Amino acid sequence: MEKKVIYVVSDSVGETAEFVTKAALSQFINENEYDIYRIPYVENTEVLRGAVYHAKQLGAMIGFTLVNRDLRAFLTREAVEKNVECVDILGPMIEAMERKFSLQPKQEPGLIHKLDEDYFKRVEAIEFAVRYDDGRDPRGVAQADIVLIGVSRTSKTPLSQYLAHKQLKVANVPIVPEVEPPKTLFEIPSHKCIGLRISSEKLNDIRKERLKSLGLDDKAFYANLDRIEAELSFFDQIIQRLNCPVIDVSNKAVEETANSIMNMINQPYWDFHEHQAKE
């Protein structure tokens, strides 16, 4: 029997959404007959759009707890547009209390959780991922625990954010034929770099969908197959120079790629913990 898949989305930890989801699932199937993928600490619509995209690809449904009404509305619209089953777990209760008490909700996620040491480490890692996203500041490459490299639309940003919630400081660098990667990239230990490879056909589909979502012509140069092949060829050249690990993300959800990376850094050769201790 094929496992049922549910995405749990939250702008906080996501424990409430996961608990309710499991309680509902217990009325239908056993625990080993489903997979729950939790996407916590959502702060922007890009992550929500990605969640809906992956849910659509896997035939999954989404349960969410978002206190921000704009994010709730966006996710609901996106899910309806993509025909993905999506359930607002917290919103109806908040709206009912707003009517009953004639008060405005604070719209601040995570108020129920204490600010502990792990929380602050996660916040620091998340801020790091934002600061050094998309190669905007090459100084982050030397300071990062992990550096993700790949062409545009290989999920570098959502993956950086996901790993940040695991307290990992992640920088990501876009690979573009016209731009030489930062020199620092070739000076750090090769296994700290992780290449994100994707098939040209898959990337072509993703970029076309991206252009359509922006109201642009899907035949633009950005989604041209020859251009994509050139970018991937340049990516392979950089990987050869770096001699770093590579993960094929063509048919992987962000969570799957993140798990692969976590498995990598738990290998004996990885001196990640030593690196942390020196900081």
Side-chain angles (χ1 to χ4, degrees):
M1 177 181 175
E2 186 175 350
K3 284 189 174 184
K4 309 298 182 186
V5 177
I6 299 92
Y7 279 82
V8 166
V9 179
S10 176
D11 45 14
S12 185
V13 181
E15 290 176 344
T16 301
E18 184 169 344
F19 179 83
V20 174
T21 299
K22 286 182 174 179
L25 281 167
S26 68
Q27 298 297 314
F28 300 93
I29 53 180
N30 298 321
E31 187 172 352
N32 62 350
E33 295 175 340
Y34 64 79
D35 286 323
I36 292 179
Y37 296 129
R38 193 194 297 189
I39 305 177
Y41 302 108
V42 173
E43 296 180 338
N44 58 66
T45 56
E46 243 347 85
V47 176
L48 297 178
R49 184 179 285 111
V52 173
Y53 172 82
H54 289 299
K56 178 72 172 178
Q57 297 298 307
L58 294 176
M61 68 175 290
I62 297 174
F64 66 93
T65 52
L66 298 168
V67 298
N68 184 297
R69 58 167 60 95
D70 293 333
L71 292 181
R72 290 205 305 271
F74 178 89
L75 179 54
T76 300
R77 288 196 305 269
E78 189 76 2
V80 169
E81 183 180 317
K82 298 296 189 299
N83 196 28
V84 171
E85 189 71 47
C86 191
V87 180
D88 187 348
I89 296 170
L90 191 60
M93 179 65 79
I94 291 177
E95 290 165 3
M97 289 181 175
E98 183 178 353
R99 292 191 300 269
K100 181 65 177 177
F101 304 146
S102 299
L103 295 172
Q104 289 296 311
K106 296 177 181 178
Q107 297 194 71
E108 296 176 26
L111 293 179
I112 199 170
H113 297 284
K114 293 181 179 179
L115 302 182
D116 56 15
E117 185 178 351
D118 287 343
Y119 172 84
F120 286 113
K121 286 181 179 178
R122 281 196 300 274
V123 169
E124 183 181 5
I126 292 168
E127 290 176 345
F128 185 94
V130 171
R131 188 180 307 120
Y132 299 113
D133 181 48
D134 207 32
R136 66 182 62 174
D137 186 342
R139 290 176 298 180
V141 171
Q143 301 171 35
D145 298 319
I146 299 171
V147 181
L148 304 176
I149 60 175
V151 301
S152 176
R153 310 313 294 179
T154 48
S155 299
K156 296 187 298 298
T157 296
L159 185 56
S160 296
Q161 287 291 326
Y162 190 95
L163 290 169
H165 291 111
K166 305 292 185 182
Q167 302 178 26
L168 295 173
K169 293 180 180 178
V170 185
N172 71 76
V173 177
I175 300 300
V176 184
E178 293 78 13
V179 180
E180 179 69 12
K183 180 181 177 183
T184 318
L185 190 64
F186 302 95
E187 297 174 346
I188 63 176
S190 61
H191 63 268
K192 297 289 179 68
C193 296
I194 297 178
L196 304 178
R197 177 175 281 125
I198 189 170
S199 71
S200 56
E201 295 80 7
K202 183 69 173 181
L203 185 56
N204 183 241
D205 290 340
I206 292 173
R207 289 189 176 181
K208 282 183 176 180
E209 287 299 316
R210 176 58 175 165
L211 290 170
K212 287 179 183 177
S213 71
L214 295 173
L216 302 174
D217 186 354
D218 65 1
K219 295 182 177 59
F221 184 60
Y222 179 67
N224 180 276
L225 200 54
D226 289 338
R227 167 63 184 184
I228 287 173
E229 294 285 4
E231 289 185 37
L232 295 178
S233 176
F234 184 66
F235 168 80
D236 286 336
Q237 293 174 33
I238 298 300
I239 291 299
Q240 288 181 355
R241 290 169 61 186
L242 291 171
N243 190 31
C244 68
V246 177
I247 297 175
D248 191 323
V249 300
S250 301
N251 298 299
K252 280 188 171 68
V254 168
E255 297 81 8
E256 293 177 276
T257 306
N259 286 337
S260 296
I261 292 173
M262 294 299 292
N263 288 335
M264 279 185 180
I265 68 175
N266 287 327
Q267 296 301 312
Y269 69 80
W270 187 274
D271 63 347
F272 166 66
H273 296 294
E274 178 183 345
H275 171 69
Q276 276 198 321
K278 292 178 180 177
E279 291 185 341

